[in-house]
Amino acid sequence: MSAMDASQDPAAEHVARHAAEPPARAAEKAAAKVPATAWISWVALAMMTTSSVASLRAAPTMAVYGLACVFLYLLPAVVFLLPTSLVSAELASGWKGGVYNWVARGISKPMGFLAVWCQFAMTIFYYPSLLGFVASTLAYVFNPALASSGVWTACVIIVVYWSGVWVSSRGTKGVAGLASGGLIIGTLIPGVVLVVLGTVFLGQGNESAAPMTADHIFPAWAGLASLVLIVNNFLSYSGMEMNAVHVSSLRNPAKEFPKSMFLAMGMVLLIFILPALAISWVVPADQLSLTAGVMQAFDAVFANFGTQWLTPIVGIMLVTASLGGMLTWLAGPSKGLLLISRQEGYLPPFLQRLNKNGVQQNILVVQGIVTTAIGLMYALIPNVSSAYWIFSVITTQVYLIMYLLMFVAAVGLRRKYPDHPRGFRSPMLKSLCGIGFGASLAALLVGFIPPSQFGGANPVVYVVIVVVGALGLGLLVPYLFYRARKPSWKQEAAAEEVTPE
């Protein structure tokens, strides 16, 4: 989730200017303008995509399924990751401005605002879930018993988030450098160590905590609730529309982009599946914490080899990578929402103000107040894992609304502007959009069903929290902003900031 370059394409004359020109020739001319130093290889793009998508944070969520996690990762990769990657590549190579411009042109401006709002609003619940993972990981550095403490988790969320706001509001540079090494420091090295030691653990004759036989390839069916955890995998794969903006930097997008995406999919699946399996070998599902499961597995494996002193070191590595990503993303989606709102007047002037460092501090502060309230819920909900899962589901629900709009807009743009120059044309676009839309809608609906792992919890409370969080924040709040907008909220000077090059 990097910052969205919120902008609009030039007006209708831009399309008319290219209407008489063959699309292939127009694409060649556009590519000729890219300087030689700007080309990137398809392998490099695959690595960039992998680093922005892959993480160990979701591993405990799927480890509870044991061998079935392979199926539960492959299914959303085929019906969601692949359609999202190919469709967003066509949109990014044809229209600058990110999801707002795609949806505004493909559907309408109000729907464009809804899409960019959802892209921003999902972070309100994303940060509490991310920092919930950070809190549980930090617990293993100080005292593992704190991992199940809601008060500890709430304190870490509030302190770390506001520290991030303070850093971001000062316009600090160089934070991206911390996140750029996250793939190696906080994902690849710990992931490889976990898988290797887990394999050695089994090789020593220890029995796997989860059955690894062929009859466990598919998850046990106990009604819809048994498959609810798969919804979290849609969020694991989200963000591909951001990486699609680099499609124009490939020498031969039509051939190289699909190769890049398939390579990235393979690497992402390995990073997701193998650590999840390793955790399921070591930690029994009924003892697994959705927030501290990674550290539980490391602690158990290191204890087996008499190297438990390494547990805090791995914890620091994971926390460093997570915090680097949080700081990098903190101001990104809010900056995109700010630019569009200044141009179209979607937010009141108070939320459009910048501080002396040019940072949208007021948006970050308001977001922080809501995040603090959500963080306090960790102290009120008895089970930290339940709170973590609820916030992860709400994050996914809100983001899926944006994807539903994106798939509809892609079909609309292909129909409205069939000859508009595109650096990449997605094959079977309508079919891909249909599959992606159907999968996203199904995941959104399933997310309202309490998972079977929370058998003792009150399902009514779960549903109410998810409905209020997802539909209230994702639909009601942007509707109220849109209805309350005034012409005086527009800042014409901002138009230059969002005009594409």
Side-chain angles (χ1 to χ4, degrees):
M1 289 176 295
S2 56
M4 187 196 70
D5 176 20
S7 57
Q8 287 188 313
D9 276 343
E13 61 265 20
H14 175 81
V15 178
R17 187 167 64 249
H18 291 280
E21 188 174 26
R25 181 171 178 80
E28 290 175 5
K29 290 174 67 177
K33 298 178 181 179
V34 179
T37 56
W39 298 120
I40 60 174
S41 70
W42 64 273
V43 175
L45 180 57
M47 294 297 293
M48 291 167 58
T49 302
T50 302
S51 65
S52 64
V53 174
S55 170
L56 296 181
R57 189 166 64 93
T61 304
M62 287 297 113
V64 298
Y65 281 104
L67 187 60
C69 74
V70 178
F71 168 79
L72 295 177
Y73 269 124
L74 287 175
L75 180 61
V78 172
V79 302
F80 180 75
L81 176 61
L82 185 60
T84 299
S85 302
L86 298 179
V87 170
S88 60
E90 171 167 331
L91 297 177
S93 67
W95 289 269
K96 295 181 179 180
V99 69
Y100 171 78
N101 200 35
W102 304 341
V103 176
R105 284 184 168 274
I107 306 177
S108 66
K109 281 188 175 183
M111 290 297 100
F113 171 61
L114 176 60
V116 76
W117 168 267
C118 288
Q119 199 173 49
F120 158 75
M122 62 85 66
T123 65
I124 294 177
F125 287 95
Y126 172 77
Y127 291 123
S129 63
L130 171 65
L131 295 179
F133 168 77
V134 168
S136 295
T137 304
L138 273 178
Y140 278 80
V141 177
F142 302 107
N143 179 6
L146 293 173
S148 59
S149 170
V151 175
W152 161 262
T153 304
C155 290
V156 171
I157 290 174
I158 294 170
V159 172
V160 173
Y161 180 83
W162 284 106
S163 298
V165 170
W166 180 78
V167 171
S168 298
S169 66
R170 294 172 63 86
T172 303
K173 297 181 180 180
V175 173
L178 177 62
S180 64
L183 178 65
I184 297 175
I185 297 173
T187 301
L188 290 183
I189 294 177
V192 169
V193 169
L194 183 61
V195 173
V196 170
L197 294 184
T199 303
V200 175
F201 174 81
L202 294 181
Q204 290 180 330
N206 295 298
E207 185 177 354
S208 171
M212 290 290 125
T213 55
D215 55 340
H216 289 87
I217 293 178
F218 298 103
W221 178 255
L224 289 176
S226 63
L227 288 178
V228 168
L229 282 177
I230 195 174
V231 173
N232 199 44
N233 288 352
F234 281 75
L235 180 62
S236 298
Y237 292 132
S238 64
M240 296 297 293
E241 77 282 358
M242 298 300 180
N243 295 286
V245 300
H246 300 293
V247 68
S248 59
S249 297
L250 296 171
R251 287 186 179 275
N252 189 344
K255 292 183 179 180
E256 293 182 343
F257 188 79
K259 289 164 61 178
S260 175
M261 286 302 101
F262 281 115
L263 176 59
M265 281 180 61
M267 291 190 294
V268 167
L269 286 173
L270 288 177
I271 292 173
F272 280 149
I273 291 173
L274 295 183
L277 284 175
I279 293 174
S280 72
W281 298 336
V282 180
V283 184
D286 59 353
Q287 300 176 18
L288 192 63
S289 164
L290 297 188
T291 53
V294 174
M295 294 308 298
Q296 282 180 320
F298 274 114
D299 198 48
V301 170
F302 288 149
N304 181 72
F305 293 98
T307 56
Q308 220 165 353
W309 57 271
L310 287 173
T311 301
I313 296 177
V314 171
I316 293 173
M317 293 171 65
L318 294 173
V319 167
T320 300
S322 296
L323 294 182
M326 188 203 80
L327 290 173
T328 303
W329 295 346
L330 187 60
S334 60
K335 182 65 176 292
L337 177 65
L338 171 81
L339 294 177
I340 289 302
S341 297
R342 298 184 82 189
Q343 179 186 2
E344 300 292 340
Y346 291 134
L347 294 180
F350 171 77
L351 293 177
Q352 297 184 31
R353 292 175 190 163
L354 304 176
N355 66 8
K356 63 181 181 180
N357 297 310
V359 176
Q360 59 282 10
Q361 183 172 305
N362 287 1
I363 292 181
L364 294 179
V365 169
V366 173
Q367 181 182 10
I369 293 172
V370 178
T371 300
T372 299
I374 295 172
L376 290 174
M377 292 182 68
Y378 273 94
L380 302 176
I381 298 178
N383 189 329
V384 172
S385 288
S386 296
Y388 174 84
W389 174 248
I390 288 173
F391 297 140
S392 295
V393 167
I394 293 175
T395 300
T396 306
Q397 304 293 74
V398 173
Y399 212 13
L400 284 172
I401 295 173
M402 185 275 291
Y403 281 113
L404 292 174
L405 295 171
M406 187 188 79
F407 287 123
V408 173
V411 175
L413 288 171
R414 178 72 73 91
R415 184 182 68 254
K416 292 179 181 179
Y417 310 109
D419 298 324
H420 183 84
R422 299 162 170 85
F424 173 80
R425 294 183 73 88
S426 176
M428 302 183 297
L429 179 74
K430 289 185 179 180
S431 297
L432 286 173
C433 288
I435 294 172
F437 184 92
S440 299
L441 181 61
L444 191 150
L445 296 176
V446 169
F448 293 110
I449 304 172
S452 56
Q453 283 74 10
F454 300 149
N458 188 332
V460 176
V461 174
Y462 175 91
V463 172
V464 169
I465 293 176
V466 173
V467 169
V468 172
L471 300 186
L473 183 66
L475 296 177
L476 179 60
V477 174
Y479 172 77
L480 294 176
F481 274 127
Y482 185 80
R483 292 288 297 177
R485 74 192 189 284
K486 301 176 181 178
S488 60
W489 289 5
K490 290 186 179 182
Q491 297 191 27
E492 299 299 334
E496 297 181 2
E497 299 181 52
V498 295
T499 301
E501 298 175 1

